[in-house]
Amino acid sequence: MDDQDAQSQLRLAEAKLHAVLEDKDHFASKLEPTFQEYRSRCEDVIVESLGSDTSTAVEGKLWEGHIRINSFFRKQLAYLRDVNGKKRPVEHRKKASQYLKFIKTSQRFYRGYIQSLASHPGGLGEIQAVARKLNIDTSLPANTARDPKLHNDILMSCHRTLIHLGDLSRYRTSELDTKKEKDWGPAIGYYDLAIAIYPSSGVSYNQLAIISKAQGDRTRTLYNLYRALSAYEPPATAFNNLDLELKKIREGKTPQTGKGFDDGLESSQSANLQRWFPLLHACYFDSDASGDYETLEGKMLSCLVAGLRERSLKTTAVNRLAVSNIAADFAAGDRWQEYLLEEDDDVIAFRPFQDTHQAFSGSERKARHHGQDLKRHHPNDEMLCRIRDLVEDALELVDNEVSS
């Protein structure tokens, strides 16, 4: 089938799907075969035109179709759980069974698509490795793609597909897993694979934050949101998601119910970190927050010192704390003041600092804190800036020492 025929068949399949989506009376009976045809026609065009804008556009349209149908099922399930205060268990089970079938066929399709990518003549070793981890057989050995753009397009397509598979698994767990401790493992596994093949994207971390939030784990939610925002390619909603979560923490709307850092701490220290770590970050992020952050800082530091001294802190917990703080510093980068503080007055024009500190170098010296037109930031931000500058100076000294 040539490209024009494939696109013509896709348009016909798309028209049929739209008709089914509008037909409320026969939606359930006609959806599966109609959507299966639409998937198949989309894949024909995508694989045939890999490396082109057409392929990417059709990929997006296909996922939008999955999102629309998923939204329909979730609304129906929510409605049947509580109709005018009355549950309808029989109808709910029937609709849940239809939804599960949709999720499973969607997962099979996207796993099959990864198989197609791994078997493509321009296939990549990275895609072959993903296929092996997912126990997907491929018919062709991996070859090095001659065209760098095709190489990149195949990689990006696989990355997007892994995100879709993670989302489908997350939807399934969220809506259909009735156990008290829901099994998020499959969704997390897909997101982790997406990170492994393309770590520059922050999308997987954004999706992982949705899971940790559902688990009631504020500390891990913040970690994932910071990682999403700090990636080379952060999601468009990354900053707003972080801002909203910190605002809810400040307002007490996101209680900690999960384990948090329990995998890395003794129980009492875990409880303290679960409570203080998110509150401290929420306080830092809010320029109008009160000076209570100093008390929280003291409690956090005491807890960390005790944990380090008693060796009750695991490396994973320490790393997560450190990365969260570094990412928070990065996220607040645009909020730093660009003027000198009171203590800088003593060393203005001090020659030993001119070559080591940007604030005092040449004609580009920062404004002084008492400038007439200067609008100063909240003391919390200024304190964070002091800490940041100390860390930067320390890193520069260490780097100079190593270099020498």
Side-chain angles (χ1 to χ4, degrees), residues 92-376:
H92 184 275
R93 281 196 298 270
K94 183 178 178 180
K95 188 63 65 175
S97 178
Q98 295 171 355
Y99 182 44
L100 179 60
K101 184 178 180 181
F102 163 74
I103 292 289
K104 285 182 174 181
T105 54
S106 299
Q107 289 175 318
R108 281 197 294 270
F109 167 79
Y110 277 113
R111 287 173 64 90
Y113 178 63
I114 288 181
Q115 183 178 37
S116 298
L117 291 177
S119 301
H120 192 275
L124 313 173
E126 299 99 311
I127 314 303
Q128 290 279 330
V130 167
R132 285 194 295 271
K133 287 187 177 181
L134 297 178
N135 297 316
I136 296 174
D137 293 330
T138 55
S139 58
L140 294 175
N143 299 312
T144 302
R146 297 186 182 92
D147 181 357
K149 185 178 185 306
L150 178 60
H151 180 114
N152 183 71
D153 286 348
I154 291 174
L155 186 67
M156 292 299 95
S157 186
C158 183
H159 177 264
R160 289 190 294 269
T161 302
L162 288 169
I163 297 294
H164 298 337
L165 282 165
D167 287 347
L168 289 166
S169 295
R170 178 168 56 84
Y171 299 151
R172 178 176 176 174
T173 300
S174 175
E175 294 296 327
L176 302 176
D177 189 341
T178 58
K179 297 189 298 291
K180 184 177 181 181
E181 292 290 334
K182 293 179 180 290
D183 181 13
W184 301 99
I188 292 172
Y190 284 122
Y191 294 143
D192 285 346
L193 269 178
I195 293 171
I197 69 166
Y198 192 62
S200 294
S201 171
V203 174
S204 286
Y205 287 110
N206 190 73
Q207 308 307 83
L208 287 167
I210 298 173
I211 293 177
S212 52
K213 187 174 177 63
Q215 293 173 316
D217 188 342
R218 294 189 310 187
T219 50
R220 199 180 295 267
T221 299
L222 287 183
Y223 167 80
N224 286 320
L225 288 173
Y226 278 132
R227 288 301 302 265
L229 184 60
S230 304
Y232 281 104
E233 298 174 14
T237 59
F239 184 85
N240 288 338
N241 292 341
L242 176 63
D243 186 35
L244 180 62
E245 181 63 21
L246 289 169
K247 186 179 296 183
K248 288 181 177 179
I249 290 172
R250 288 195 300 272
E251 296 172 353
K253 294 181 178 179
T254 56
Q256 173 80 34
T257 58
K259 292 183 178 180
F261 288 124
D262 199 41
D263 58 343
L265 292 167
E266 297 296 334
S267 58
S268 61
Q269 294 172 4
S270 173
N272 288 337
L273 280 181
Q274 288 170 19
R275 183 165 60 253
W276 297 328
F277 180 82
L279 287 174
L280 182 59
H281 274 255
C283 192
Y284 279 151
F285 207 76
D286 183 10
S287 297
D288 296 325
S290 65
D292 290 344
Y293 74 91
E294 294 180 350
T295 302
L296 287 170
E297 279 182 349
K299 291 179 177 180
M300 276 286 298
L301 289 173
S302 296
C303 184
L304 289 172
V305 168
L308 291 169
R309 184 183 295 120
E310 299 165 4
R311 298 187 179 182
S312 57
L313 279 161
K314 288 185 180 179
T315 302
T316 52
V318 176
N319 285 349
R320 200 174 301 123
L321 280 169
V323 170
S324 294
N325 288 331
I326 293 169
D329 174 83
F330 178 82
D334 293 336
R335 295 155 61 95
W336 298 120
Q337 38 68 323
E338 291 299 325
Y339 52 86
L340 302 180
L341 300 169
E342 286 84 352
E343 61 268 27
D344 296 325
D345 289 343
D346 292 336
V347 287
I348 289 178
F350 185 52
R351 288 183 61 193
F353 283 178
Q354 288 184 8
D355 295 330
T356 59
H357 203 300
Q358 183 180 359
F360 306 101
S361 59
S363 60
E364 300 298 323
R365 185 180 301 149
K366 292 180 181 179
R368 298 177 71 174
H369 59 87
H370 49 66
Q372 183 175 358
D373 299 325
L374 181 69
K375 182 179 179 181
R376 295 187 64 166

Side-chain angles (χ1 to χ4, degrees), residues 8-29:
S8 177
Q9 293 291 329
L10 173 58
R11 285 192 290 271
L12 290 174
E14 188 173 14
K16 290 180 183 178
L17 177 61
H18 286 166
V20 169
L21 292 175
E22 297 300 323
D23 186 357
K24 304 301 181 184
D25 295 331
H26 302 93
F27 177 85
S29 60

Side-chain angles (χ1 to χ4, degrees), residues 66-82:
H66 283 86
I67 291 294
R68 183 174 177 181
I69 295 171
N70 179 72
S71 177
F72 170 83
F73 274 116
R74 295 180 77 175
K75 288 178 181 177
Q76 287 293 304
L77 288 170
Y79 173 75
L80 293 172
R81 283 192 198 99
D82 187 7

